Amino acid sequence: VTGLNLTAGENVLLDSASFGLTRGEKCAVIGDNGTGKSPLVKELVRGKNPAIKLGRFVKIACYDQENANLSPGERVLDELWGRHVTWDQTKVRGILAQAGLPAEDMDKQVRMLSGGERAKLALAVFACEQGNFLILDEPTNHLDLAARESLESALKAFDGTLLFVSHDRYFIRALAGKILELEEGAVTEFTGTY
């Protein structure tokens, strides 16, 4: 990222910000609310800004804290199955069960799930995208302790590139090898964990 400008209405979130990530880095994005963490993530995923250059074989998988990629009127089973129509039902049910969604939730509409259940569904969908550059916006929100620990273990084992927004100091300390701090329109890079 070189010379990135981001605004929200009349507010300047980032002014000519620059930073880089290399393959295999695990990087946390921190900053106060309103500093532009989520807009930065969305701009990276959108991939249309000339200030952002991605490597040739980069495949982004994104987890959005608002679960905007889920369809509220869709059944839980169909939310994942509809994205992978060649998979059989047993495989889809197994993936959802591993994510902590029991059989009785399969026929529920996504809108009927609790915040934690929606987060688990979104993480299951996210994991099936098989990206080599994972971007997560507040992934621990709404997760119980067991789900957070499972997510942390999976991300530690992931050998691709990871960029995540979090306010959870423990989660940051456990995963990050680099920190990007957003403050007053600028990005400051720190090598090391929280």
Side-chain angles (χ1 to χ4, degrees), residues 4 6 8 13-14 19 28-45 65 135-138 163-168 172 179-183 186-187:
L4 177 63
L6 275 182
L13 300 174
L14 293 176
F19 64 89
V29 180
I30 64 171
D32 292 336
N33 289 334
T35 56
K37 299 179 302 294
S38 292
L40 170 62
V41 164
K42 288 176 182 166
E43 195 67 13
L44 290 170
V45 171
Q65 69 172 319
I135 299 178
L136 298 96
D137 190 3
E138 296 286 355
L163 179 75
F164 65 97
V165 174
S166 185
H167 291 282
D168 183 335
I172 294 168
I179 306 278
L180 298 177
E181 182 180 28
L182 278 58
E183 186 176 47
V187 175

PDB file of all heavy atoms in Angstrom, residues 4 6 8 13-14 19 28-45 65 135-138 163-168 172 179-183 186-187:
ATOM      1  N   LEU A   4      -2.117   5.715   0.260  1.00  0.00           N
ATOM      2  CA  LEU A   4      -3.549   5.449   0.327  1.00  0.00           C
ATOM      3  C   LEU A   4      -4.271   6.564   1.068  1.00  0.00           C
ATOM      4  O   LEU A   4      -3.894   6.929   2.186  1.00  0.00           O
ATOM      5  CB  LEU A   4      -3.807   4.116   1.031  1.00  0.00           C
ATOM      6  CG  LEU A   4      -5.274   3.727   1.240  1.00  0.00           C
ATOM      7  CD1 LEU A   4      -5.985   3.535  -0.104  1.00  0.00           C
ATOM      8  CD2 LEU A   4      -5.368   2.462   2.080  1.00  0.00           C
ATOM      9  N   LEU A   6      -8.077   7.592   2.501  1.00  0.00           N
ATOM     10  CA  LEU A   6      -9.419   7.093   2.811  1.00  0.00           C
ATOM     11  C   LEU A   6     -10.179   8.172   3.561  1.00  0.00           C
ATOM     12  O   LEU A   6      -9.636   8.787   4.487  1.00  0.00           O
ATOM     13  CB  LEU A   6      -9.352   5.852   3.704  1.00  0.00           C
ATOM     14  CG  LEU A   6      -9.167   4.494   3.067  1.00  0.00           C
ATOM     15  CD1 LEU A   6      -9.186   3.405   4.133  1.00  0.00           C
ATOM     16  CD2 LEU A   6     -10.226   4.204   2.023  1.00  0.00           C
ATOM     17  N   ALA A   8     -14.287   9.246   5.167  1.00  0.00           N
ATOM     18  CA  ALA A   8     -15.654   8.871   5.505  1.00  0.00           C
ATOM     19  C   ALA A   8     -16.414  10.189   5.593  1.00  0.00           C
ATOM     20  O   ALA A   8     -16.266  10.926   6.567  1.00  0.00           O
ATOM     21  CB  ALA A   8     -15.715   8.112   6.820  1.00  0.00           C
ATOM     22  N   LEU A  13      -9.688   9.654   7.114  1.00  0.00           N
ATOM     23  CA  LEU A  13      -9.297   8.505   7.929  1.00  0.00           C
ATOM     24  C   LEU A  13      -7.819   8.193   7.729  1.00  0.00           C
ATOM     25  O   LEU A  13      -7.101   7.948   8.693  1.00  0.00           O
ATOM     26  CB  LEU A  13     -10.148   7.281   7.578  1.00  0.00           C
ATOM     27  CG  LEU A  13     -11.658   7.437   7.779  1.00  0.00           C
ATOM     28  CD1 LEU A  13     -12.395   6.217   7.260  1.00  0.00           C
ATOM     29  CD2 LEU A  13     -11.980   7.694   9.246  1.00  0.00           C
ATOM     30  N   LEU A  14      -7.380   8.167   6.472  1.00  0.00           N
ATOM     31  CA  LEU A  14      -5.976   7.920   6.155  1.00  0.00           C
ATOM     32  C   LEU A  14      -5.524   8.934   5.116  1.00  0.00           C
ATOM     33  O   LEU A  14      -6.204   9.154   4.113  1.00  0.00           O
ATOM     34  CB  LEU A  14      -5.767   6.505   5.622  1.00  0.00           C
ATOM     35  CG  LEU A  14      -6.013   5.358   6.600  1.00  0.00           C
ATOM     36  CD1 LEU A  14      -5.863   4.017   5.899  1.00  0.00           C
ATOM     37  CD2 LEU A  14      -5.072   5.445   7.784  1.00  0.00           C
ATOM     38  N   PHE A  19       2.192   1.075   3.778  1.00  0.00           N
ATOM     39  CA  PHE A  19       2.674  -0.062   4.566  1.00  0.00           C
ATOM     40  C   PHE A  19       2.752  -1.265   3.643  1.00  0.00           C
ATOM     41  O   PHE A  19       2.244  -1.230   2.514  1.00  0.00           O
ATOM     42  CB  PHE A  19       1.771  -0.358   5.775  1.00  0.00           C
ATOM     43  CG  PHE A  19       0.370  -0.776   5.423  1.00  0.00           C
ATOM     44  CD1 PHE A  19       0.055  -2.113   5.224  1.00  0.00           C
ATOM     45  CD2 PHE A  19      -0.627   0.172   5.291  1.00  0.00           C
ATOM     46  CE1 PHE A  19      -1.235  -2.487   4.896  1.00  0.00           C
ATOM     47  CE2 PHE A  19      -1.925  -0.196   4.964  1.00  0.00           C
ATOM     48  CZ  PHE A  19      -2.232  -1.532   4.768  1.00  0.00           C
ATOM     49  N   ALA A  28      -1.684  -7.435  12.864  1.00  0.00           N
ATOM     50  CA  ALA A  28      -2.876  -6.883  13.508  1.00  0.00           C
ATOM     51  C   ALA A  28      -3.005  -5.409  13.166  1.00  0.00           C
ATOM     52  O   ALA A  28      -2.014  -4.689  13.085  1.00  0.00           O
ATOM     53  CB  ALA A  28      -2.782  -7.050  15.022  1.00  0.00           C
ATOM     54  N   VAL A  29      -4.241  -4.969  12.968  1.00  0.00           N
ATOM     55  CA  VAL A  29      -4.539  -3.556  12.760  1.00  0.00           C
ATOM     56  C   VAL A  29      -5.242  -3.077  14.022  1.00  0.00           C
ATOM     57  O   VAL A  29      -6.267  -3.634  14.420  1.00  0.00           O
ATOM     58  CB  VAL A  29      -5.451  -3.345  11.534  1.00  0.00           C
ATOM     59  CG1 VAL A  29      -5.749  -1.861  11.342  1.00  0.00           C
ATOM     60  CG2 VAL A  29      -4.820  -3.932  10.282  1.00  0.00           C
ATOM     61  N   ILE A  30      -4.652  -2.057  14.657  1.00  0.00           N
ATOM     62  CA  ILE A  30      -5.223  -1.541  15.898  1.00  0.00           C
ATOM     63  C   ILE A  30      -5.454  -0.039  15.761  1.00  0.00           C
ATOM     64  O   ILE A  30      -4.924   0.612  14.856  1.00  0.00           O
ATOM     65  CB  ILE A  30      -4.328  -1.842  17.123  1.00  0.00           C
ATOM     66  CG1 ILE A  30      -2.981  -1.126  17.008  1.00  0.00           C
ATOM     67  CG2 ILE A  30      -4.136  -3.349  17.292  1.00  0.00           C
ATOM     68  CD1 ILE A  30      -2.138  -1.208  18.280  1.00  0.00           C
ATOM     69  N   GLY A  31      -6.232   0.487  16.678  1.00  0.00           N
ATOM     70  CA  GLY A  31      -6.512   1.916  16.713  1.00  0.00           C
ATOM     71  C   GLY A  31      -7.848   2.146  17.389  1.00  0.00           C
ATOM     72  O   GLY A  31      -8.655   1.227  17.547  1.00  0.00           O
ATOM     73  N   ASP A  32      -8.062   3.383  17.788  1.00  0.00           N
ATOM     74  CA  ASP A  32      -9.326   3.731  18.426  1.00  0.00           C
ATOM     75  C   ASP A  32     -10.473   3.568  17.436  1.00  0.00           C
ATOM     76  O   ASP A  32     -10.271   3.563  16.213  1.00  0.00           O
ATOM     77  CB  ASP A  32      -9.292   5.180  18.923  1.00  0.00           C
ATOM     78  CG  ASP A  32      -8.322   5.369  20.086  1.00  0.00           C
ATOM     79  OD1 ASP A  32      -8.034   4.376  20.791  1.00  0.00           O
ATOM     80  OD2 ASP A  32      -7.848   6.510  20.284  1.00  0.00           O
ATOM     81  N   ASN A  33     -11.693   3.462  17.957  1.00  0.00           N
ATOM     82  CA  ASN A  33     -12.868   3.419  17.092  1.00  0.00           C
ATOM     83  C   ASN A  33     -12.926   4.701  16.269  1.00  0.00           C
ATOM     84  O   ASN A  33     -12.627   5.784  16.758  1.00  0.00           O
ATOM     85  CB  ASN A  33     -14.146   3.265  17.924  1.00  0.00           C
ATOM     86  CG  ASN A  33     -14.257   1.884  18.539  1.00  0.00           C
ATOM     87  OD1 ASN A  33     -13.711   0.916  18.013  1.00  0.00           O
ATOM     88  ND2 ASN A  33     -14.967   1.788  19.640  1.00  0.00           N
ATOM     89  N   GLY A  34     -13.269   4.553  14.997  1.00  0.00           N
ATOM     90  CA  GLY A  34     -13.385   5.705  14.114  1.00  0.00           C
ATOM     91  C   GLY A  34     -12.104   6.099  13.403  1.00  0.00           C
ATOM     92  O   GLY A  34     -12.085   7.075  12.662  1.00  0.00           O
ATOM     93  N   THR A  35     -11.015   5.341  13.611  1.00  0.00           N
ATOM     94  CA  THR A  35      -9.744   5.694  12.961  1.00  0.00           C
ATOM     95  C   THR A  35      -9.621   5.109  11.551  1.00  0.00           C
ATOM     96  O   THR A  35      -8.684   5.463  10.839  1.00  0.00           O
ATOM     97  CB  THR A  35      -8.529   5.238  13.800  1.00  0.00           C
ATOM     98  OG1 THR A  35      -8.625   3.833  14.040  1.00  0.00           O
ATOM     99  CG2 THR A  35      -8.446   5.992  15.115  1.00  0.00           C
ATOM    100  N   GLY A  36     -10.543   4.228  11.163  1.00  0.00           N
ATOM    101  CA  GLY A  36     -10.536   3.721   9.791  1.00  0.00           C
ATOM    102  C   GLY A  36     -10.125   2.279   9.621  1.00  0.00           C
ATOM    103  O   GLY A  36      -9.800   1.861   8.505  1.00  0.00           O
ATOM    104  N   LYS A  37     -10.151   1.490  10.692  1.00  0.00           N
ATOM    105  CA  LYS A  37      -9.730   0.094  10.584  1.00  0.00           C
ATOM    106  C   LYS A  37     -10.632  -0.693   9.630  1.00  0.00           C
ATOM    107  O   LYS A  37     -10.142  -1.326   8.702  1.00  0.00           O
ATOM    108  CB  LYS A  37      -9.702  -0.559  11.974  1.00  0.00           C
ATOM    109  CG  LYS A  37      -8.731   0.087  12.942  1.00  0.00           C
ATOM    110  CD  LYS A  37      -8.750  -0.559  14.309  1.00  0.00           C
ATOM    111  CE  LYS A  37     -10.086  -0.566  15.008  1.00  0.00           C
ATOM    112  NZ  LYS A  37     -10.614   0.752  15.404  1.00  0.00           N
ATOM    113  N   SER A  38     -11.925  -0.651   9.857  1.00  0.00           N
ATOM    114  CA  SER A  38     -12.857  -1.389   8.989  1.00  0.00           C
ATOM    115  C   SER A  38     -12.872  -0.838   7.559  1.00  0.00           C
ATOM    116  O   SER A  38     -12.852  -1.617   6.605  1.00  0.00           O
ATOM    117  CB  SER A  38     -14.266  -1.397   9.586  1.00  0.00           C
ATOM    118  OG  SER A  38     -14.279  -2.188  10.765  1.00  0.00           O
ATOM    119  N   PRO A  39     -12.899   0.491   7.362  1.00  0.00           N
ATOM    120  CA  PRO A  39     -12.813   0.982   5.974  1.00  0.00           C
ATOM    121  C   PRO A  39     -11.523   0.555   5.270  1.00  0.00           C
ATOM    122  O   PRO A  39     -11.541   0.267   4.069  1.00  0.00           O
ATOM    123  CB  PRO A  39     -12.875   2.507   6.130  1.00  0.00           C
ATOM    124  CG  PRO A  39     -13.649   2.717   7.394  1.00  0.00           C
ATOM    125  CD  PRO A  39     -13.223   1.583   8.284  1.00  0.00           C
ATOM    126  N   LEU A  40     -10.409   0.480   6.003  1.00  0.00           N
ATOM    127  CA  LEU A  40      -9.157   0.013   5.406  1.00  0.00           C
ATOM    128  C   LEU A  40      -9.311  -1.428   4.922  1.00  0.00           C
ATOM    129  O   LEU A  40      -8.947  -1.762   3.795  1.00  0.00           O
ATOM    130  CB  LEU A  40      -8.008   0.110   6.410  1.00  0.00           C
ATOM    131  CG  LEU A  40      -6.689  -0.563   5.983  1.00  0.00           C
ATOM    132  CD1 LEU A  40      -6.131   0.083   4.724  1.00  0.00           C
ATOM    133  CD2 LEU A  40      -5.683  -0.529   7.114  1.00  0.00           C
ATOM    134  N   VAL A  41      -9.867  -2.281   5.771  1.00  0.00           N
ATOM    135  CA  VAL A  41     -10.073  -3.687   5.420  1.00  0.00           C
ATOM    136  C   VAL A  41     -10.972  -3.791   4.188  1.00  0.00           C
ATOM    137  O   VAL A  41     -10.680  -4.540   3.248  1.00  0.00           O
ATOM    138  CB  VAL A  41     -10.678  -4.449   6.623  1.00  0.00           C
ATOM    139  CG1 VAL A  41     -11.269  -5.776   6.214  1.00  0.00           C
ATOM    140  CG2 VAL A  41      -9.633  -4.652   7.706  1.00  0.00           C
ATOM    141  N   LYS A  42     -12.058  -3.040   4.175  1.00  0.00           N
ATOM    142  CA  LYS A  42     -12.985  -3.091   3.041  1.00  0.00           C
ATOM    143  C   LYS A  42     -12.309  -2.621   1.751  1.00  0.00           C
ATOM    144  O   LYS A  42     -12.547  -3.174   0.681  1.00  0.00           O
ATOM    145  CB  LYS A  42     -14.229  -2.254   3.343  1.00  0.00           C
ATOM    146  CG  LYS A  42     -15.116  -2.913   4.378  1.00  0.00           C
ATOM    147  CD  LYS A  42     -16.299  -2.058   4.762  1.00  0.00           C
ATOM    148  CE  LYS A  42     -17.102  -2.789   5.836  1.00  0.00           C
ATOM    149  NZ  LYS A  42     -18.059  -1.959   6.500  1.00  0.00           N
ATOM    150  N   GLU A  43     -11.464  -1.615   1.856  1.00  0.00           N
ATOM    151  CA  GLU A  43     -10.760  -1.110   0.674  1.00  0.00           C
ATOM    152  C   GLU A  43      -9.760  -2.143   0.151  1.00  0.00           C
ATOM    153  O   GLU A  43      -9.615  -2.316  -1.055  1.00  0.00           O
ATOM    154  CB  GLU A  43     -10.052   0.209   1.014  1.00  0.00           C
ATOM    155  CG  GLU A  43      -9.600   0.986  -0.181  1.00  0.00           C
ATOM    156  CD  GLU A  43     -10.737   1.550  -1.033  1.00  0.00           C
ATOM    157  OE1 GLU A  43     -11.909   1.562  -0.590  1.00  0.00           O
ATOM    158  OE2 GLU A  43     -10.452   1.981  -2.154  1.00  0.00           O
ATOM    159  N   LEU A  44      -9.090  -2.848   1.050  1.00  0.00           N
ATOM    160  CA  LEU A  44      -8.164  -3.907   0.626  1.00  0.00           C
ATOM    161  C   LEU A  44      -8.910  -5.023  -0.098  1.00  0.00           C
ATOM    162  O   LEU A  44      -8.464  -5.514  -1.132  1.00  0.00           O
ATOM    163  CB  LEU A  44      -7.416  -4.482   1.834  1.00  0.00           C
ATOM    164  CG  LEU A  44      -6.388  -3.569   2.503  1.00  0.00           C
ATOM    165  CD1 LEU A  44      -5.915  -4.179   3.811  1.00  0.00           C
ATOM    166  CD2 LEU A  44      -5.216  -3.307   1.580  1.00  0.00           C
ATOM    167  N   VAL A  45     -10.049  -5.413   0.450  1.00  0.00           N
ATOM    168  CA  VAL A  45     -10.832  -6.499  -0.135  1.00  0.00           C
ATOM    169  C   VAL A  45     -11.433  -6.064  -1.477  1.00  0.00           C
ATOM    170  O   VAL A  45     -11.449  -6.837  -2.436  1.00  0.00           O
ATOM    171  CB  VAL A  45     -11.942  -6.964   0.839  1.00  0.00           C
ATOM    172  CG1 VAL A  45     -12.898  -7.939   0.167  1.00  0.00           C
ATOM    173  CG2 VAL A  45     -11.321  -7.589   2.074  1.00  0.00           C
ATOM    174  N   GLN A  65     -16.992  -8.464  10.274  1.00  0.00           N
ATOM    175  CA  GLN A  65     -17.578  -8.522  11.612  1.00  0.00           C
ATOM    176  C   GLN A  65     -19.098  -8.366  11.602  1.00  0.00           C
ATOM    177  O   GLN A  65     -19.788  -8.813  12.510  1.00  0.00           O
ATOM    178  CB  GLN A  65     -16.954  -7.464  12.524  1.00  0.00           C
ATOM    179  CG  GLN A  65     -17.318  -6.033  12.181  1.00  0.00           C
ATOM    180  CD  GLN A  65     -16.843  -5.052  13.226  1.00  0.00           C
ATOM    181  OE1 GLN A  65     -16.939  -5.328  14.416  1.00  0.00           O
ATOM    182  NE2 GLN A  65     -16.325  -3.923  12.796  1.00  0.00           N
ATOM    183  N   ILE A 135      -8.196 -11.923   5.629  1.00  0.00           N
ATOM    184  CA  ILE A 135      -8.466 -10.610   6.211  1.00  0.00           C
ATOM    185  C   ILE A 135      -9.685 -10.766   7.107  1.00  0.00           C
ATOM    186  O   ILE A 135     -10.760 -11.164   6.645  1.00  0.00           O
ATOM    187  CB  ILE A 135      -8.715  -9.558   5.113  1.00  0.00           C
ATOM    188  CG1 ILE A 135      -7.480  -9.423   4.224  1.00  0.00           C
ATOM    189  CG2 ILE A 135      -9.088  -8.219   5.738  1.00  0.00           C
ATOM    190  CD1 ILE A 135      -7.631  -8.452   3.072  1.00  0.00           C
ATOM    191  N   LEU A 136      -9.493 -10.472   8.395  1.00  0.00           N
ATOM    192  CA  LEU A 136     -10.562 -10.648   9.369  1.00  0.00           C
ATOM    193  C   LEU A 136     -10.798  -9.346  10.123  1.00  0.00           C
ATOM    194  O   LEU A 136      -9.863  -8.744  10.643  1.00  0.00           O
ATOM    195  CB  LEU A 136     -10.212 -11.749  10.376  1.00  0.00           C
ATOM    196  CG  LEU A 136     -10.006 -13.135   9.814  1.00  0.00           C
ATOM    197  CD1 LEU A 136      -8.534 -13.404   9.575  1.00  0.00           C
ATOM    198  CD2 LEU A 136     -10.551 -14.164  10.773  1.00  0.00           C
ATOM    199  N   ASP A 137     -12.054  -8.933  10.191  1.00  0.00           N
ATOM    200  CA  ASP A 137     -12.439  -7.721  10.896  1.00  0.00           C
ATOM    201  C   ASP A 137     -13.163  -8.122  12.184  1.00  0.00           C
ATOM    202  O   ASP A 137     -14.291  -8.603  12.134  1.00  0.00           O
ATOM    203  CB  ASP A 137     -13.335  -6.859  10.009  1.00  0.00           C
ATOM    204  CG  ASP A 137     -13.582  -5.471  10.573  1.00  0.00           C
ATOM    205  OD1 ASP A 137     -13.011  -5.142  11.635  1.00  0.00           O
ATOM    206  OD2 ASP A 137     -14.343  -4.712   9.946  1.00  0.00           O
ATOM    207  N   GLU A 138     -12.489  -7.938  13.302  1.00  0.00           N
ATOM    208  CA  GLU A 138     -13.017  -8.278  14.638  1.00  0.00           C
ATOM    209  C   GLU A 138     -13.559  -9.709  14.701  1.00  0.00           C
ATOM    210  O   GLU A 138     -14.725  -9.942  15.010  1.00  0.00           O
ATOM    211  CB  GLU A 138     -14.117  -7.285  15.053  1.00  0.00           C
ATOM    212  CG  GLU A 138     -13.644  -5.862  15.213  1.00  0.00           C
ATOM    213  CD  GLU A 138     -12.817  -5.618  16.459  1.00  0.00           C
ATOM    214  OE1 GLU A 138     -12.659  -6.537  17.286  1.00  0.00           O
ATOM    215  OE2 GLU A 138     -12.320  -4.493  16.603  1.00  0.00           O
ATOM    216  N   LEU A 163      -4.127 -10.659   7.995  1.00  0.00           N
ATOM    217  CA  LEU A 163      -4.319  -9.283   8.447  1.00  0.00           C
ATOM    218  C   LEU A 163      -5.633  -9.262   9.200  1.00  0.00           C
ATOM    219  O   LEU A 163      -6.662  -9.680   8.670  1.00  0.00           O
ATOM    220  CB  LEU A 163      -4.384  -8.319   7.253  1.00  0.00           C
ATOM    221  CG  LEU A 163      -4.596  -6.851   7.607  1.00  0.00           C
ATOM    222  CD1 LEU A 163      -3.300  -6.253   8.159  1.00  0.00           C
ATOM    223  CD2 LEU A 163      -5.056  -6.063   6.387  1.00  0.00           C
ATOM    224  N   PHE A 164      -5.585  -8.827  10.450  1.00  0.00           N
ATOM    225  CA  PHE A 164      -6.812  -8.833  11.238  1.00  0.00           C
ATOM    226  C   PHE A 164      -6.937  -7.579  12.093  1.00  0.00           C
ATOM    227  O   PHE A 164      -5.957  -7.026  12.575  1.00  0.00           O
ATOM    228  CB  PHE A 164      -6.915 -10.090  12.106  1.00  0.00           C
ATOM    229  CG  PHE A 164      -5.859 -10.216  13.171  1.00  0.00           C
ATOM    230  CD1 PHE A 164      -6.113  -9.818  14.475  1.00  0.00           C
ATOM    231  CD2 PHE A 164      -4.607 -10.744  12.871  1.00  0.00           C
ATOM    232  CE1 PHE A 164      -5.130  -9.946  15.463  1.00  0.00           C
ATOM    233  CE2 PHE A 164      -3.633 -10.870  13.836  1.00  0.00           C
ATOM    234  CZ  PHE A 164      -3.895 -10.475  15.146  1.00  0.00           C
ATOM    235  N   VAL A 165      -8.188  -7.132  12.230  1.00  0.00           N
ATOM    236  CA  VAL A 165      -8.530  -6.010  13.094  1.00  0.00           C
ATOM    237  C   VAL A 165      -9.027  -6.600  14.403  1.00  0.00           C
ATOM    238  O   VAL A 165      -9.857  -7.505  14.404  1.00  0.00           O
ATOM    239  CB  VAL A 165      -9.653  -5.145  12.463  1.00  0.00           C
ATOM    240  CG1 VAL A 165     -10.106  -4.066  13.429  1.00  0.00           C
ATOM    241  CG2 VAL A 165      -9.192  -4.551  11.149  1.00  0.00           C
ATOM    242  N   SER A 166      -8.498  -6.091  15.515  1.00  0.00           N
ATOM    243  CA  SER A 166      -8.949  -6.599  16.808  1.00  0.00           C
ATOM    244  C   SER A 166      -8.654  -5.599  17.913  1.00  0.00           C
ATOM    245  O   SER A 166      -7.685  -4.843  17.838  1.00  0.00           O
ATOM    246  CB  SER A 166      -8.270  -7.933  17.124  1.00  0.00           C
ATOM    247  OG  SER A 166      -8.785  -8.479  18.319  1.00  0.00           O
ATOM    248  N   HIS A 167      -9.521  -5.622  18.916  1.00  0.00           N
ATOM    249  CA  HIS A 167      -9.279  -4.875  20.154  1.00  0.00           C
ATOM    250  C   HIS A 167      -8.871  -5.839  21.273  1.00  0.00           C
ATOM    251  O   HIS A 167      -8.596  -5.410  22.386  1.00  0.00           O
ATOM    252  CB  HIS A 167     -10.544  -4.120  20.588  1.00  0.00           C
ATOM    253  CG  HIS A 167     -10.900  -2.981  19.688  1.00  0.00           C
ATOM    254  ND1 HIS A 167     -10.250  -1.774  19.728  1.00  0.00           N
ATOM    255  CD2 HIS A 167     -11.832  -2.866  18.718  1.00  0.00           C
ATOM    256  CE1 HIS A 167     -10.769  -0.958  18.824  1.00  0.00           C
ATOM    257  NE2 HIS A 167     -11.728  -1.608  18.198  1.00  0.00           N
ATOM    258  N   ASP A 168      -8.849  -7.129  20.965  1.00  0.00           N
ATOM    259  CA  ASP A 168      -8.565  -8.173  21.945  1.00  0.00           C
ATOM    260  C   ASP A 168      -7.046  -8.327  22.096  1.00  0.00           C
ATOM    261  O   ASP A 168      -6.384  -8.937  21.251  1.00  0.00           O
ATOM    262  CB  ASP A 168      -9.210  -9.475  21.463  1.00  0.00           C
ATOM    263  CG  ASP A 168      -9.051 -10.636  22.428  1.00  0.00           C
ATOM    264  OD1 ASP A 168      -8.087 -10.634  23.226  1.00  0.00           O
ATOM    265  OD2 ASP A 168      -9.876 -11.562  22.356  1.00  0.00           O
ATOM    266  N   ILE A 172      -4.350 -10.559  19.883  1.00  0.00           N
ATOM    267  CA  ILE A 172      -3.270  -9.890  19.145  1.00  0.00           C
ATOM    268  C   ILE A 172      -1.918 -10.442  19.573  1.00  0.00           C
ATOM    269  O   ILE A 172      -1.073 -10.779  18.737  1.00  0.00           O
ATOM    270  CB  ILE A 172      -3.320  -8.358  19.371  1.00  0.00           C
ATOM    271  CG1 ILE A 172      -4.595  -7.772  18.765  1.00  0.00           C
ATOM    272  CG2 ILE A 172      -2.091  -7.675  18.777  1.00  0.00           C
ATOM    273  CD1 ILE A 172      -4.869  -6.339  19.188  1.00  0.00           C
ATOM    274  N   ILE A 179       2.350  -5.103  13.820  1.00  0.00           N
ATOM    275  CA  ILE A 179       1.195  -4.288  14.194  1.00  0.00           C
ATOM    276  C   ILE A 179       1.138  -3.068  13.279  1.00  0.00           C
ATOM    277  O   ILE A 179       2.157  -2.424  13.045  1.00  0.00           O
ATOM    278  CB  ILE A 179       1.308  -3.779  15.660  1.00  0.00           C
ATOM    279  CG1 ILE A 179       1.530  -4.925  16.647  1.00  0.00           C
ATOM    280  CG2 ILE A 179       0.118  -2.917  16.035  1.00  0.00           C
ATOM    281  CD1 ILE A 179       0.338  -5.672  17.084  1.00  0.00           C
ATOM    282  N   LEU A 180      -0.060  -2.757  12.794  1.00  0.00           N
ATOM    283  CA  LEU A 180      -0.315  -1.493  12.109  1.00  0.00           C
ATOM    284  C   LEU A 180      -1.237  -0.683  13.011  1.00  0.00           C
ATOM    285  O   LEU A 180      -2.353  -1.117  13.284  1.00  0.00           O
ATOM    286  CB  LEU A 180      -0.999  -1.714  10.755  1.00  0.00           C
ATOM    287  CG  LEU A 180      -0.260  -2.515   9.700  1.00  0.00           C
ATOM    288  CD1 LEU A 180      -1.132  -2.688   8.463  1.00  0.00           C
ATOM    289  CD2 LEU A 180       1.054  -1.842   9.336  1.00  0.00           C
ATOM    290  N   GLU A 181      -0.755   0.454  13.483  1.00  0.00           N
ATOM    291  CA  GLU A 181      -1.585   1.310  14.333  1.00  0.00           C
ATOM    292  C   GLU A 181      -2.099   2.483  13.510  1.00  0.00           C
ATOM    293  O   GLU A 181      -1.319   3.217  12.896  1.00  0.00           O
ATOM    294  CB  GLU A 181      -0.794   1.832  15.530  1.00  0.00           C
ATOM    295  CG  GLU A 181      -1.648   2.681  16.449  1.00  0.00           C
ATOM    296  CD  GLU A 181      -0.889   3.217  17.641  1.00  0.00           C
ATOM    297  OE1 GLU A 181       0.341   3.413  17.546  1.00  0.00           O
ATOM    298  OE2 GLU A 181      -1.533   3.451  18.681  1.00  0.00           O
ATOM    299  N   LEU A 182      -3.419   2.652  13.501  1.00  0.00           N
ATOM    300  CA  LEU A 182      -4.040   3.766  12.808  1.00  0.00           C
ATOM    301  C   LEU A 182      -4.337   4.853  13.824  1.00  0.00           C
ATOM    302  O   LEU A 182      -4.983   4.592  14.852  1.00  0.00           O
ATOM    303  CB  LEU A 182      -5.339   3.340  12.121  1.00  0.00           C
ATOM    304  CG  LEU A 182      -5.216   2.668  10.756  1.00  0.00           C
ATOM    305  CD1 LEU A 182      -4.374   1.424  10.795  1.00  0.00           C
ATOM    306  CD2 LEU A 182      -6.576   2.385  10.181  1.00  0.00           C
ATOM    307  N   GLU A 183      -3.834   6.052  13.528  1.00  0.00           N
ATOM    308  CA  GLU A 183      -4.016   7.163  14.457  1.00  0.00           C
ATOM    309  C   GLU A 183      -3.841   8.474  13.699  1.00  0.00           C
ATOM    310  O   GLU A 183      -2.844   8.650  12.977  1.00  0.00           O
ATOM    311  CB  GLU A 183      -2.987   7.050  15.587  1.00  0.00           C
ATOM    312  CG  GLU A 183      -3.147   8.061  16.684  1.00  0.00           C
ATOM    313  CD  GLU A 183      -2.140   7.825  17.809  1.00  0.00           C
ATOM    314  OE1 GLU A 183      -0.944   7.637  17.502  1.00  0.00           O
ATOM    315  OE2 GLU A 183      -2.555   7.837  18.964  1.00  0.00           O
ATOM    316  N   ALA A 186      -2.793   8.513   9.998  1.00  0.00           N
ATOM    317  CA  ALA A 186      -1.539   7.877   9.622  1.00  0.00           C
ATOM    318  C   ALA A 186      -1.518   6.416  10.067  1.00  0.00           C
ATOM    319  O   ALA A 186      -2.237   6.014  10.976  1.00  0.00           O
ATOM    320  CB  ALA A 186      -0.371   8.619  10.265  1.00  0.00           C
ATOM    321  N   VAL A 187      -0.663   5.647   9.414  1.00  0.00           N
ATOM    322  CA  VAL A 187      -0.415   4.247   9.797  1.00  0.00           C
ATOM    323  C   VAL A 187       1.030   4.150  10.282  1.00  0.00           C
ATOM    324  O   VAL A 187       1.957   4.563   9.584  1.00  0.00           O
ATOM    325  CB  VAL A 187      -0.614   3.280   8.601  1.00  0.00           C
ATOM    326  CG1 VAL A 187      -0.224   1.866   8.982  1.00  0.00           C
ATOM    327  CG2 VAL A 187      -2.038   3.336   8.099  1.00  0.00           C
TER     328      VAL A 187
END
